[in-house]
């Protein structure tokens, strides 16, 4: 008689742990603020090893393919520090106007920005959610995008850019159409100097707590 044995129910680490400074990290501060604002439950603030591993594998695949397809354009800068707070940026785009499919509006937003930080995400939320004027949330700013935007705004501060990009793959598409499969969205976000300064002041304040 055949035999079946479950050997493992969690995905093992797909990459060695990233070397991190023992100090305060911006991602930890953002999670703390999200919990305090009710945007993230304390129980869900720690990802399972399977979901974390899938996210890391996705980010690694995007970084590697970008490096192969666009040599010299994309750089993974490694750990950076600002005001005693550390961050590991996914990508810096040193030629953000090179894409042929950019709209005129996107080109205008990117026209004076270089390098542009690009954050890569594998998302559980549906693709109908949008950073602005989110119809599923019926809000001008989507709460589900808050943490993503907080990272992008922080990374803009690290590199001195008013513009950032969010590279989001929604693993279940819009969650409504059977068989629709994953969906991809690339967002360009431009912020004012005041928006970035106020955001960073909030990060530094909570980083000291």
């Amino acid at each position: 008689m055949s035999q079946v044995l479950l050997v493992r129910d969690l995905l093992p680490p797909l990459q060695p742990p990233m070397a991190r400074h023992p100090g305060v990290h911006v991602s930890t501060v953002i999670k703390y603020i999200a919990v305090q604002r009710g945007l993230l439950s304390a129980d869900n603030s720690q990802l399972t090893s399977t979901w974390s591993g899938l996210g890391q594998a996705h980010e690694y695949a995007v970084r590697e393919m970008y490096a192969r397809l666009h040599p010299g354009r994309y750089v993974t800068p490694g750990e950076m520090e600002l005001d005693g707070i550390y961050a590991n940026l996914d990508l810096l785009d040193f030629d953000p106007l090179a894409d042929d499919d950019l709209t005129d509006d996107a080109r205008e937003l990117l026209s004076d920005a270089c390098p542009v930080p690009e954050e890569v995400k594998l998302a559980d939320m549906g693709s109908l959610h949008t950073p602005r004027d989110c119809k599923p949330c019926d809000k001008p700013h989507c709460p589900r995008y808050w943490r993503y935007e907080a990272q992008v705004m922080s990374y803009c501060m690290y590199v001195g850019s008013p513009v950032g990009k969010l590279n989001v793959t929604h693993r279940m598409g819009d969650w409504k159409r059977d068989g629709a499969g994953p969906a991809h969205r690339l967002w360009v976000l431009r912020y004012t100097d005041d928006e970035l300064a106020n955001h960073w002041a909030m990060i530094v304040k909570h980083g000291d707590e």
Side-chain angles (χ1 to χ4, degrees):
M1 182 177 179
S2 61
Q3 295 178 298
V4 178
L5 178 66
L6 175 65
V7 176
R8 182 185 297 120
D9 63 359
L10 288 174
L11 188 71
L14 299 177
Q15 296 187 76
M18 183 178 296
R20 299 183 65 175
H21 190 277
V24 177
H25 283 256
V26 71
S27 59
T28 304
V29 177
I30 290 170
K31 285 182 181 178
Y32 171 79
I33 298 172
V35 171
Q36 296 300 307
R37 292 187 173 191
L39 300 173
L40 181 69
S41 71
D43 292 339
N44 291 335
S45 62
Q46 299 298 322
L47 299 175
T48 67
S49 62
T50 295
W51 185 239
S52 177
L54 287 174
Q56 291 173 0
H58 175 72
E59 292 170 12
Y60 177 81
V62 170
R63 290 197 304 264
E64 288 297 300
M65 287 307 299
Y66 276 20
R68 294 182 185 182
L69 293 172
H70 311 285
R73 173 179 171 182
Y74 290 97
V75 172
T76 301
E79 193 169 61
M80 303 180 74
E81 181 271 336
L82 179 64
D83 294 330
I85 299 176
Y86 295 84
N88 287 284
L89 284 64
D90 287 340
L91 290 166
L92 290 179
D93 184 355
F94 282 86
D95 193 7
L97 295 175
D99 293 322
D100 294 333
D101 59 350
L102 288 176
T103 65
D104 290 340
D105 288 342
R107 290 186 178 278
E108 184 177 354
L109 292 181
L110 291 163
S111 61
D112 59 349
C114 184
V116 171
E118 184 165 333
E119 178 68 5
V120 180
K121 292 294 185 185
L122 179 64
D124 197 41
M125 66 175 168
S127 59
L128 295 180
H129 286 274
T130 56
R132 297 290 182 275
D133 300 321
C134 182
K135 292 182 179 179
C137 296
D138 194 24
K139 294 180 181 296
H141 290 71
C142 179
R144 298 196 181 192
Y145 264 98
W146 184 86
R147 284 187 297 147
Y148 293 177
E149 280 208 62
Q151 280 187 276
V152 170
M153 293 179 79
S154 298
Y155 299 159
C156 284
M157 290 295 296
Y158 279 90
V159 300
S161 170
V163 182
K165 294 194 288 183
L166 260 175
N167 184 322
V168 185
T169 298
H170 302 265
R171 70 180 185 92
M172 294 300 293
D174 61 16
W175 282 94
K176 294 190 176 188
R177 294 175 295 165
D178 291 339
H184 179 260
R185 303 285 186 269
L186 179 64
W187 299 97
V188 176
L189 307 104
R190 188 179 184 101
Y191 302 99
T192 66
D193 291 343
D194 285 346
E195 286 174 325
L196 291 174
N198 291 336
H199 167 79
W200 189 248
M202 175 187 68
I203 295 294
V204 172
K205 174 185 174 183
H206 288 287
D208 290 336
E209 292 178 355

